[in-house]
Amino acid sequence: MSLKPLLRKLFLVDLIKGLKVTFNYQAPSEAITEQYPLERPVIFERFRGQPRLNSNPDTGESLCIVCNLCALACPEQLIVVKGERNPTTKRKEVVSWTYDLSRCMFCGLCAEACSTDALELTQDYEMALYTREGMVLDQAALERGQEPKRYEK
Amino acid sequence: MGENQPGYREWTMSDSTRTDYLDLDTKDETFLDATELVLNMGPQHPSTHGVLRVILKLDGEKVLGTECVIGYLHRGVEKIGENRTYAMFNPYVDRMDYVASVSNGLGYCEAVEKLLNVEAPPRAQYIRVILTELCRIASHQVWLGTHALDIGALTPLFYCFRDREEILKIFEKYCGARLTTHAFRIGGCIYEAYDGFEQDCQKFCDAFLPKLDEYEELLTTNRIWVRRTKGVGILNPEDCIALGVTGPVLRAAGVKWDLRRAQPYEAYKDFDFEIPTGLNGDTYDRYLVRIEEMRQSVRIIRQAVEGLPQGPIMAKVPKVIKPPVGEIYHSIEAPKGELGYFIVSDGSTQPYRVRVRPPSFVNLQALDKMVRGLLVADVVAVIGTLDIVLGEVDR
Amino acid sequence: MFDAITKYLSSATTPGEAGSIFWATIYILIITAGISLSVIAMNWLERKILAHMQIRLGPMRVGPHGLLQPFADALKLLIKEDIIPAEADKLVFWSAPVVVTMTAFTTFLVVPFGRTHAVTDMNIGILFMLGVSSLGVLGIIMAGWSSNSHYPLMGSLRSSAQMVSYEIAMGLAIICAVLMTSLQTGTGTLSMIGIVEAQASQHTWFIFKFFPLGFLAFGVFAIAMVAETNRAPFDLPEAESELVAGFHTEYSGFRWSLFFLAEYAAMLAVSSIAVTLWLGGWMRPFPNWLSGSIWNLAFSLFPALTLFVLAGLCLLGTARMPKIPQMKIQTVGLGIFGLLLGFIGLVLIIPGVRERVQDIYWFVVKVAFFMYMYIWYRGTFPRYRFDQLMKVGWKVLLPTGLAVLIATALWGLLPQISSAIVGVLP
């Protein structure tokens, strides 16, 4: 063994190098913990979160034309859309719209399939509920979107 | 549990058909005729990387033989594939190797594209390369953190996850999900690169290399790390090939086999990168190979970002994908090794059969060969160095 | 009553030497409570320091900056269901944590926190400490055996082998220090107080004596003591990633917390041995260079200053707390805690108190240094494998310890040898 590695070994250079790294990281400014309910994470625009049914902001009518494309695109078959043709306007209107959030894997295929931008996966991510029943969203819940939650003791 | 009760299973360790498999005939050289100890490691054990169960036959601390029991995370992904259309099955493959979901998606999309005989446009190919290489780095970071944690170094895990966070942010900005990305579609990409995508990737590359040196400072020369990994779990090239082991484990044994170079897919032929190989095929070499692979990935990302062409991102693919009758096997170099998809099409909208060749599952077979005669602590190190993900092993 | 207290406090011996059972009992109670409190403090500090090394924040929710987290955990452990495995050897399973805890606490009988701040001064003090702390292995073996489970059994076997082999290296290092007490004065001592006084009379800490021999012996001890207390990188008996939790895998609730208590008490005990033998025990730093009444005064103000700094940090934290209703209780609590620390600091300025407290202060500071090192190692190093651990113990530390011991003896005998040679020469 040549002299330099031997000396490095004797004076524990390899261990001290590691100790230096951990020591330097102790500064509180290095901490990256996010204090979740106090600090909210930044959610980016394309995030696929809670689904929402959009309606026309001017008229308040649902944008959904009951084309059933989303239900066909869904791998889990969790979207059930029922509609019937309104005889006066000759347009299909929603009768029932359910979205089973508990089975959703947020792949975004339904939103991609939607031809009118009615169904959209939003940036809301706090979808935890106490019961499974509440996970099946109907049209009203989907249009309302996520209600802001407050966590208190 | 009685024999007649449901769930009873003939135990394999004492089974006479399995004894030669466990190599019980060769007498062990101990001065004490110690009775052997059968230790059940897992499925709930801190370092079996999920729900792997390893039955260890021990003499004191020395491992005489192992048997892996898998299937605790079986979700029947391949069977699901037979009941979904080609496009619908795409999100499911992300859930196999969930730390490298982008690579899974890439392999699947390419296999179907091959079946359809279409090719993604150049811009889509470049975006795919950038994302899969980022994903390789992320996967290797998870490997490094958990591997170091198994060997007892607690801290690298947190440094790795801090830097992985940047990659996940790029994924989230690009495709809207961090882990199960569903980033690519058959025929290209559906998402255009967002504003600042290139800058984000460049920024990550610049920031990541010094961090990588930091991981190395903590581990590479550390005498405890070297002692724990050098000469542990040696796999020679012949065994690797015989067992079908691929990926960094194979390359660490000195076989220069990387599908990105051997049968270039996507735009990999455009890039200049090295294939790191090891000499001894031990745990330390696998560590060095993976660290070097991260550096090479950074190199590829830099080249791809600089040369990112303009143009469409989606090839002409019919809305309803109906491949011609036939079968295809396509494999890519996932972070853990060769990830192959074998798809049989009967001409309908759903695949007749999907078979996945997961790298973790095949690599896991080498476990027994690697740990014979080592100590219990080495079993943990070897499971870590094989870099298995149980979601992929069990599928 | 008051007279009795002041009379006792002005005496210059330990209660054990004075034969006062009453004061000895008081001391034992204070030390037991102090050790338990410092274990709780250590728990919080370890979590915080380790967290910050790992770029995390650590406990933040229970109390300001998680200050009450250890108390919450203690409460949780106390009210947790106490599980005894059906196949366990119940009697042994019960007694194992008791044995471990008792031995860990008993060692503190002879630890000198100051010239008079010890329960007693045994003339075999260091031997007593070694002997009693070795008994802790018994408890670990009992725990591993009685659990009737594979992981604890392997953990306890590892532990016993490890502790037995590292005790030898540790013993050799200790003999070096004991030799150093006798070499110049000719009167060696095994008493803990005697060893510190020998350092005082030789005007040097033993770590600097016969440089580098004292330092090497200290190094051997510093490595052996980490192994002796089963801490990273030698934490094989409870190697989390291999043996789940080692010998206390099957323990839960209060029994588990006893093991926890014992582990930290053992760490404090071996650290106090190291401080006593090599770092001058309760002596303040630089008694030779910075001597004189002004320096004495300056150093005796340190305890109060430390508390003032801590109080200042607390008040700063109070000011920087997020101003939201949920954090109000925490903000007020932190403020009160800071004021309390400041008040204690003020008390420590009183001259009578100041003189008597500074010995304890310097001792605690030196022990705290070792505690920090423990945490630092844990945050940085991977874990040794069992055979490598044995190799380090028997092939590195033992020969080094022996060599240092022989060299120390020869160096100490140098005057006699040289005079003998001079006498023989014509």
Side-chain angles (χ1 to χ4, degrees):
Chain A
M1 195 186 272
S2 58
L3 190 63
K4 207 177 159 197
L6 185 72
L7 282 178
R8 276 169 164 266
K9 205 164 173 167
L10 271 182
F11 287 101
L12 311 171
V13 173
D14 50 331
L15 300 182
I16 290 165
K17 238 166 47 181
L19 286 172
K20 217 174 79 190
V21 173
T22 41
F23 188 80
N24 288 341
Y25 268 120
Q26 274 183 95
S29 57
E30 297 279 359
I32 51 158
T33 312
E34 213 167 58
Q35 301 263 317
Y36 163 55
L38 298 178
E39 293 169 44
R40 316 287 295 184
V42 183
I43 301 296
F44 297 108
E45 199 192 331
R46 292 177 183 176
F47 185 78
R48 305 196 293 256
Q50 165 126 352
R52 187 178 64 201
L53 260 184
N54 291 330
S55 47
N56 189 335
D58 301 329
T59 58
E61 275 175 18
S62 176
L63 284 178
C64 179
I65 55 168
V66 201
C67 62
N68 215 25
L69 279 176
C70 49
L72 287 173
C74 180
E76 285 289 339
Q77 283 116 37
L78 54 85
I79 301 175
V80 180
V81 189
K82 282 187 194 134
E84 63 186 22
R85 199 167 290 280
N86 189 330
T88 50
T89 56
K90 301 272 187 249
R91 281 180 61 191
K92 261 189 155 181
E93 278 177 4
V94 181
V95 174
S96 81
W97 219 112
T98 59
Y99 192 106
D100 189 351
L101 205 55
S102 61
R103 279 155 60 200
C104 183
M105 58 178 174
F106 304 101
C107 60
L109 282 174
C110 51
E112 278 166 32
C114 187
S115 50
T116 58
D117 289 343
L119 186 60
E120 186 187 349
L121 295 183
T122 60
Q123 280 88 7
D124 298 325
Y125 53 89
E126 286 164 324
M127 285 167 277
L129 285 176
Y130 285 103
T131 56
R132 287 190 186 184
E133 285 72 38
M135 292 295 231
V136 183
L137 306 177
D138 59 1
Q139 190 189 4
L142 281 166
E143 281 177 351
R144 198 165 56 236
Q146 194 177 56
E147 285 153 27
K149 285 198 178 75
R150 284 184 67 89
Y151 294 100
E152 276 176 35
K153 271 192 259 187
Chain B
M1 193 183 277
E3 225 169 294
N4 300 324
Q5 278 180 327
Y8 178 79
R9 175 170 161 264
E10 194 68 43
W11 225 62
T12 46
M13 288 303 282
S14 54
D15 207 333
S16 61
T17 53
R18 290 299 185 102
T19 43
D20 38 276
Y21 167 70
L22 280 175
D23 199 5
L24 299 180
D25 297 333
T26 42
K27 267 267 177 260
D28 200 63
E29 300 290 323
T30 49
F31 61 95
L32 286 172
D33 186 25
T35 45
E36 282 137 3
L37 181 72
V38 174
L39 187 67
N40 220 336
M41 205 185 225
Q44 290 163 10
H45 187 275
S47 58
T48 49
H49 289 226
V51 285
L52 174 67
R53 174 173 164 214
V54 187
I55 303 169
L56 297 171
K57 204 159 81 72
L58 301 174
D59 173 16
E61 292 238 351
K62 199 174 153 194
V63 179
L64 299 179
T66 65
E67 187 176 315
C68 291
V69 182
I70 58 169
Y72 291 94
L73 200 56
H74 179 64
R75 293 151 297 174
V77 170
E78 291 172 2
K79 193 71 189 169
I80 289 173
E82 295 171 21
N83 298 303
R84 299 283 186 276
T85 64
Y86 287 91
M88 276 184 190
F89 185 53
N90 199 355
Y92 288 91
V93 296
D94 287 350
R95 280 142 180 92
M96 289 191 308
D97 181 359
Y98 38 76
V99 299
S101 51
V102 177
S103 293
N104 287 339
L106 178 75
Y108 175 71
C109 289
E110 282 196 348
V112 179
E113 280 162 21
K114 221 169 165 183
L115 202 57
L116 286 169
N117 205 10
V118 294
E119 199 176 81
R123 185 173 169 83
Q125 289 193 5
Y126 269 64
I127 290 176
R128 282 179 170 188
V129 166
I130 294 171
L131 287 180
T132 38
E133 290 306 318
L134 282 173
C135 176
R136 187 183 312 276
I137 295 176
S139 168
H140 281 354
Q141 275 170 336
V142 174
W143 157 78
L144 179 62
T146 51
H147 184 37
L149 191 68
D150 288 348
I151 295 191
L154 305 171
T155 312
L157 178 82
F158 295 95
Y159 298 166
C160 287
F161 271 66
R162 171 196 57 190
D163 302 332
R164 178 170 173 260
E165 192 65 23
E166 299 305 314
I167 298 177
L168 295 188
K169 266 185 194 150
I170 294 178
F171 286 170
E172 190 186 334
K173 280 185 190 174
Y174 175 75
C175 61
R178 290 153 53 88
L179 201 69
T180 47
T181 46
H182 194 203
F184 309 132
R185 302 291 187 275
I186 295 156
C189 311
I190 194 155
Y191 301 109
E192 181 56 81
Y194 62 90
D195 292 340
F197 176 68
E198 292 94 333
Q199 288 87 321
D200 272 359
C201 294
Q202 291 282 16
K203 216 168 77 190
F204 167 77
C205 292
D206 294 340
F208 176 60
L209 289 178
K211 300 279 166 62
L212 195 53
D213 294 339
E214 223 160 55
Y215 310 156
E216 287 216 75
E217 242 164 67
L218 276 173
L219 298 174
T220 305
T221 53
N222 188 311
R223 63 186 68 190
I224 307 175
W225 179 262
V226 173
R227 276 196 197 174
R228 280 301 302 275
T229 51
K230 261 213 171 121
V232 171
I234 296 177
L235 257 193
N236 53 29
E238 291 78 35
D239 286 338
C240 280
I241 291 165
L243 286 163
V245 168
T246 48
V249 185
L250 176 68
R251 289 193 283 277
V255 183
K256 207 167 180 171
W257 177 257
D258 188 321
L259 290 172
R260 290 176 293 175
R261 184 58 60 73
Q263 25 179 284
Y265 52 94
E266 294 300 330
Y268 276 112
K269 52 190 174 304
D270 302 356
F271 305 123
D272 178 31
F273 60 97
E274 306 278 324
I275 301 168
T277 52
L279 287 173
N280 311 316
D282 57 5
T283 304
Y284 189 67
D285 275 7
R286 287 188 278 273
Y287 161 77
L288 291 181
V289 162
R290 286 199 177 100
I291 292 276
E292 186 55 35
E293 264 183 27
M294 287 199 240
R295 293 218 165 83
Q296 296 302 328
S297 290
V298 168
R299 239 176 106 188
I300 296 174
I301 293 166
R302 282 206 169 126
Q303 293 172 38
V305 168
E306 272 160 24
L308 189 64
Q310 294 300 322
I313 51 167
M314 197 74 181
K316 278 211 163 47
V317 175
K319 267 241 144 116
V320 178
I321 294 164
K322 247 183 170 177
V325 179
E327 55 183 50
I328 198 83
Y329 177 78
H330 182 73
S331 57
I332 64 159
E333 185 72 28
K336 294 171 179 66
E338 179 185 339
L339 172 71
Y341 286 89
F342 178 66
I343 301 175
V344 182
S345 161
D346 57 357
S348 69
T349 56
Q350 298 177 346
Y352 177 75
R353 174 84 170 95
V354 181
R355 157 82 189 146
V356 186
R357 183 219 184 270
S360 304
F361 175 69
V362 181
N363 289 2
L364 185 59
Q365 294 183 84
L367 178 71
D368 185 63
K369 183 132 201 127
M370 288 157 90
V371 299
R372 284 275 173 94
L374 301 182
L375 302 180
V376 178
D378 293 326
V379 177
V380 169
V382 167
I383 291 175
T385 193
L386 280 175
D387 192 14
I388 50 167
V389 164
L390 267 294
E392 196 181 36
V393 173
D394 296 340
R395 301 193 295 297
Chain C
M1 173 76 189
F2 189 72
D3 287 347
I5 294 175
T6 42
K7 181 166 162 270
Y8 173 73
L9 284 181
S10 54
S11 74
T13 53
T14 57
E17 284 169 284
S20 160
I21 294 176
F22 173 74
W23 281 105
T25 317
I26 297 275
Y27 267 51
I28 288 172
L29 287 179
I30 291 175
I31 287 176
T32 313
I35 299 299
S36 307
L37 255 182
S38 45
V39 169
I40 286 175
M42 265 296 290
N43 184 356
W44 182 79
L45 278 174
E46 171 155 26
R47 285 184 181 187
K48 277 308 227 192
I49 295 174
L50 202 61
H52 278 288
M53 282 179 177
Q54 297 169 344
I55 53 173
R56 297 181 285 129
L57 286 174
M60 286 296 277
R61 292 291 158 82
V62 190
H65 286 259
L67 270 170
L68 298 178
Q69 185 74 47
F71 295 100
D73 284 351
L75 191 68
K76 182 206 80 173
L77 286 168
L78 283 177
I79 59 176
K80 221 175 146 176
E81 188 191 351
D82 188 22
I83 299 166
I84 299 177
E87 297 292 311
D89 188 336
K90 294 212 175 44
L91 184 66
V92 184
F93 194 83
W94 278 358
S95 45
V98 180
V99 170
V100 174
T101 320
M102 262 175 56
T103 52
F105 276 80
T106 311
T107 46
F108 284 96
L109 276 183
V110 291
V111 172
F113 295 95
R115 176 61 193 87
T116 58
H117 305 303
V119 178
T120 185
D121 179 27
M122 274 188 215
N123 55 0
I124 52 156
I126 185 74
L127 272 185
F128 174 81
M129 268 199 101
L130 274 184
V132 174
S133 67
S134 308
L135 268 182
V137 182
L138 182 66
I140 289 177
I141 296 175
M142 282 161 72
W145 172 255
S146 63
S147 296
N148 203 354
S149 168
H150 289 164
Y151 286 113
L153 181 66
M154 285 171 70
S156 70
L157 286 178
R158 281 182 177 190
S159 175
S160 46
Q162 174 178 344
M163 283 168 117
V164 166
S165 52
Y166 273 82
E167 219 141 63
I168 297 170
M170 204 168 170
L172 287 173
I174 287 173
I175 295 173
C176 288
V178 173
L179 269 187
M180 285 172 184
T181 63
S182 75
L183 287 175
Q184 275 173 0
T185 55
T187 52
T189 176
L190 287 169
S191 143
M192 299 285 271
I193 292 179
I195 290 170
V196 180
E197 281 181 338
Q199 296 180 49
S201 65
Q202 296 181 19
H203 298 291
T204 177
W205 292 0
F206 283 160
I207 184 174
F208 300 120
K209 193 168 183 186
F210 297 156
F211 191 82
L213 291 182
F215 188 76
L216 276 176
F218 168 75
V220 170
F221 187 88
I223 295 171
M225 82 185 207
V226 178
E228 178 76 9
T229 46
N230 298 332
R231 290 282 297 186
F234 305 104
D235 56 344
L236 294 135
E238 42 205 282
E240 198 200 335
S241 57
E242 295 153 29
L243 298 185
V244 188
F247 57 85
H248 54 61
T249 306
E250 302 287 348
Y251 281 85
S252 66
F254 185 57
R255 276 178 238 286
W256 181 86
S257 67
L258 281 183
F259 277 115
F260 184 82
L261 200 64
E263 184 189 330
Y264 280 80
M267 281 159 67
L268 289 168
V270 287
S271 303
S272 6
I273 297 182
V275 169
T276 313
L277 294 190
W278 278 282
L279 296 185
W282 64 78
M283 284 192 285
R284 69 173 174 83
F286 315 117
N288 305 332
W289 298 350
L290 308 176
S291 57
S293 57
I294 294 174
W295 282 112
N296 280 341
L297 179 69
F299 276 104
S300 70
L301 283 176
F302 258 78
L305 281 181
T306 314
L307 279 172
F308 285 148
V309 168
L310 286 177
L313 279 176
C314 283
L315 294 177
L316 189 72
T318 316
R320 287 178 54 182
M321 273 290 200
K323 303 277 181 294
I324 50 171
Q326 290 100 314
M327 302 292 264
K328 199 173 170 189
I329 300 172
Q330 304 208 350
T331 316
V332 173
L334 190 62
I336 291 174
F337 186 62
L339 290 177
L340 194 71
L341 286 179
F343 177 71
I344 298 173
L346 280 179
V347 170
L348 291 187
I349 290 188
I350 302 168
V353 181
R354 193 169 71 202
E355 253 84 73
R356 294 197 68 88
V357 159
Q358 63 162 331
D359 286 354
I360 302 178
Y361 173 77
W362 289 115
F363 192 87
V364 169
V365 164
K366 289 170 188 173
V367 171
F369 166 75
F370 281 101
M371 290 294 144
Y372 179 77
M373 294 304 282
Y374 269 122
I375 300 168
W376 198 3
Y377 296 153
R378 189 176 167 203
T380 311
F381 295 139
R383 182 182 301 119
Y384 271 112
R385 204 171 60 200
F386 189 62
D387 57 329
Q388 293 160 352
L389 175 98
M390 286 295 165
K391 220 177 261 174
V392 171
W394 291 101
K395 289 191 177 168
V396 180
L397 290 187
L398 187 67
T400 318
L402 268 177
V404 172
L405 178 60
I406 293 167
T408 312
L410 287 178
W411 195 322
L413 285 175
L414 219 54
Q416 280 100 316
I417 295 172
S418 57
S419 64
I421 292 170
V422 169
V424 169
L425 288 177

